[in-house]
Amino acid sequence: MDKIVSLSRRRGFVFPSSEIYGGLGSTFDYGHYGVLMKNNIRARWFEAMVQDRDDIVAIDSAIILHPRVWEASGHVGGFTDPLVDCRTCKLRFRADKLEDSSCGRKPSKRPGETPDCDLTEPRQFNLMFETTVGALQEEGSRAFLRPETAQGIFINFKNVLQIARRKPPFGIAQVGKSFRNEITPGNFLFRVREFEQMEMEYFVPPAEAEEWYRYWIEERLNWYLQYGLRGSRLRVREHGPEERSHYSQGTSDIEYLYPIGWSELEGVANRGDFDLTQHSEYSATKLEYVGPDGERYVPYVIEPAVSIERIMVALLVDAYDEEIVAERERTVLRLHPKMAPVIAAVLPLIGKSDNMVGKARSLYEELRRRHSVEYDDSGAIGRRYRRQDEIGTPWAFTIDEQTLADDTVTVRDRDSLAQERLPIGGVRAWLEQALERDWRTPKQD
Ligand code: ATP
């Protein structure tokens, strides 16, 4: 994880936030490549969940919703984690995650393991961030930053049913920021207080819920495999009844083998009819499906939910590689080409050659209309390749002496380091085809 954090910072993917003020723990800002990579993760998710399907529509609800929403959903009463304080080291821990935490005095020990540890009894701590709406801070103005995007979907169920004219099974997808006042954030982006969630609520006839629950576990697992995560590092873990949330009829975590061990990447839950029933009761608006021949029921909901942050960490960890090439070490991010922040680099071999620069610039101008590409003419060519390897750019097109003679360029492959020559006029079509090819990581398990 340290190597990923340091590369992310060095190459401007992710910066610790508010650094000039000493930083704000476990809060991060995204630099240029981080933004490009997040855009890719979001776009690939949206393609798979909305664009490529007939049965799912998008929504973008507000972050601050009516406070009653969170009473109905159970968050005001129950969105809590058990918290313990240590009276000796003054640190705070999640009582159910003590085995993943370190003692403040002796980091090799768990909290409570040394005779000096003095832990309080666990008490429940609500993870929602509170705020006030309007100029007056009075009881009626209390509101919350959403801790999940799902509730913004449930409260729009009726709108979508009527206006988008859907009938179950159908889904509503949303991507946006969620906020949780985590007791022990950490492990880089894995657990942060502000994250971008991607959730889809799939409304089904109750009798079909189990079948769709299994379907979505499979779909989501395949999505990770499609985008190059190694199968040996992914597994599905089904929750036992004692671990499930109050609303859940069944929950499975898609886990990834992060450097901290197997941990939840994405959750897929069968939420039953809990949410629609609660909101019907609290809002006095019937949230149900009424069929053309009068059948009526409250649909069950299957929910795949994940954050861009957890995907980003998994992709970076899976992609990070170091190898020796020509007696020199190279660090390379073997990212799936559709996840890489930059798809191709255009490099004139000699940055001082006006002819090479001219040709390289015009190829770059052509490619950047469609793709995220980079132009670089500074420094030795080897150093420029290494820079691109470190940010995971799958291909580099190099303009050299021969280009000036016959209008061909070399394309260098990030993973195999193979080089081939292409007519400059065919580069765009070549790139488009290369992007559609299946990609598998060359990394061994
Ligand atoms: P955990 O048990 O790790 O706290 P959770 O079960 O509370 O997670 P969910 O409520 O199921 O998580 O949230 C759905 C998804 O949102 C998670 O699978 C994860 O991808 C993401 N997520 C949740 N909390 C965080 C966080 N603090 N930082 C980054 N991503 C998060």
Side-chain angles (χ1 to χ4, degrees), residues 213-214 237-252 270:
Y213 169 57
R214 301 279 154 210
R237 190 180 66 80
E238 187 134 19
H239 288 202
E242 70 299 337
E243 198 185 346
R244 280 188 221 137
S245 317
H246 56 286
Y247 52 74
S248 166
Q249 311 264 324
T251 300
S252 290
N270 173 357

Side-chain angles (χ1 to χ4, degrees), residues 229-233 318 441-445:
L229 289 189
R230 286 168 291 171
S232 58
R233 310 239 150 184
D318 218 76
T441 180
K443 269 179 86 171
Q444 304 298 319
D445 286 334

Side-chain angles (χ1 to χ4, degrees), residues 272-282 285 287 298-299:
D273 60 5
F274 176 81
D275 303 276
L276 292 182
T277 306
Q278 287 290 104
H279 287 302
S280 295
E281 194 183 305
Y282 277 69
T285 304
L287 301 177
V298 179

Side-chain angles (χ1 to χ4, degrees), residues 94 97 180 182 189-193 195 197 199 264-267 305-307 309-310:
R94 244 174 89 167
K97 300 263 177 192
R180 295 184 185 180
E182 300 275 4
L189 305 172
F190 182 84
R191 190 179 300 284
V192 278
R193 294 199 170 104
F195 52 96
Q197 250 186 341
E199 295 193 293
E264 176 176 344
L265 165 59
E266 169 157 355
V306 65
S307 69
E309 285 74 4
R310 291 217 181 154

Side-chain angles (χ1 to χ4, degrees), residues 16-259:
S17 185
S18 311
E19 224 181 351
I20 59 168
Y21 288 97
L24 181 65
S26 296
T27 309
F28 297 92
D29 297 336
Y30 291 83
H32 183 66
Y33 296 133
V35 172
L36 294 178
M37 194 169 163
K38 285 212 301 179
N39 285 348
N40 287 342
I41 296 171
R42 196 185 301 108
R44 304 291 87 81
W45 185 90
F46 197 82
E47 278 160 16
M49 302 302 269
V50 181
Q51 201 170 307
D52 294 348
R53 304 185 60 109
D54 294 326
D55 54 350
I56 301 180
V57 295
I59 201 151
D60 186 4
S61 73
I63 286 176
I64 297 174
L65 302 172
H66 194 292
R68 292 273 288 165
V69 168
W70 305 110
E71 286 170 31
S73 68
H75 283 82
V76 170
F79 191 57
T80 54
D81 277 339
L83 169 146
V84 291
D85 288 298
C86 177
R87 296 187 189 94
T88 312
C89 69
K90 310 280 180 241
L91 288 183
R92 213 154 237 201
F93 306 100
R94 244 174 89 167
D96 58 336
K97 300 263 177 192
L98 287 180
E99 70 281 9
D100 301 334
S101 315
S102 301
C103 164
R105 292 268 169 94
K106 287 205 177 132
S108 62
K109 300 278 185 197
R110 306 279 159 254
E113 267 185 0
T114 81
D116 290 342
C117 297
D118 184 7
L119 301 183
T120 60
E121 283 300 305
R123 62 204 152 90
Q124 293 300 323
F125 171 75
N126 196 300
L127 300 185
M128 282 198 295
F129 278 101
E130 274 187 43
T131 185
T132 45
V133 173
L136 290 176
Q137 290 202 6
E138 55 195 18
E139 180 48 31
S141 65
R142 186 168 84 130
F144 305 96
L145 303 188
R146 68 180 173 198
E148 60 174 32
T149 61
Q151 299 305 324
I153 296 178
F154 298 129
I155 59 173
N156 278 288
F157 173 78
K158 203 171 164 200
N159 287 336
V160 175
L161 202 64
Q162 287 174 347
I163 292 161
R165 290 181 296 118
R166 301 281 150 174
K167 76 191 270 286
F170 78 96
I172 308 178
Q174 166 150 244
V175 179
K177 286 265 174 143
S178 291
F179 304 83
R180 295 184 185 180
N181 200 358
E182 300 275 4
I183 299 169
T184 42
N187 295 310
F188 191 37
L189 305 172
F190 182 84
R191 190 179 300 284
V192 278
R193 294 199 170 104
E194 173 180 340
F195 52 96
E196 195 165 337
Q197 250 186 341
M198 305 195 288
E199 295 193 293
M200 193 276 293
E201 308 302 320
Y202 201 71
F203 300 93
V204 301
E208 295 174 21
E210 179 63 20
E211 181 193 330
W212 285 110
Y213 169 57
R214 301 279 154 210
Y215 167 89
W216 279 110
I217 296 171
E218 203 58 28
E219 279 290 295
R220 296 302 305 147
L221 189 61
N222 286 335
W223 187 84
Y224 291 107
L225 294 170
Q226 181 188 347
Y227 288 110
L229 289 189
R230 286 168 291 171
S232 58
R233 310 239 150 184
L234 284 166
R235 72 177 188 195
V236 175
R237 190 180 66 80
E238 187 134 19
H239 288 202
E242 70 299 337
E243 198 185 346
R244 280 188 221 137
S245 317
H246 56 286
Y247 52 74
S248 166
Q249 311 264 324
T251 300
S252 290
D253 289 347
I254 298 176
E255 295 189 331
Y256 179 77
L257 186 53
Y258 289 96

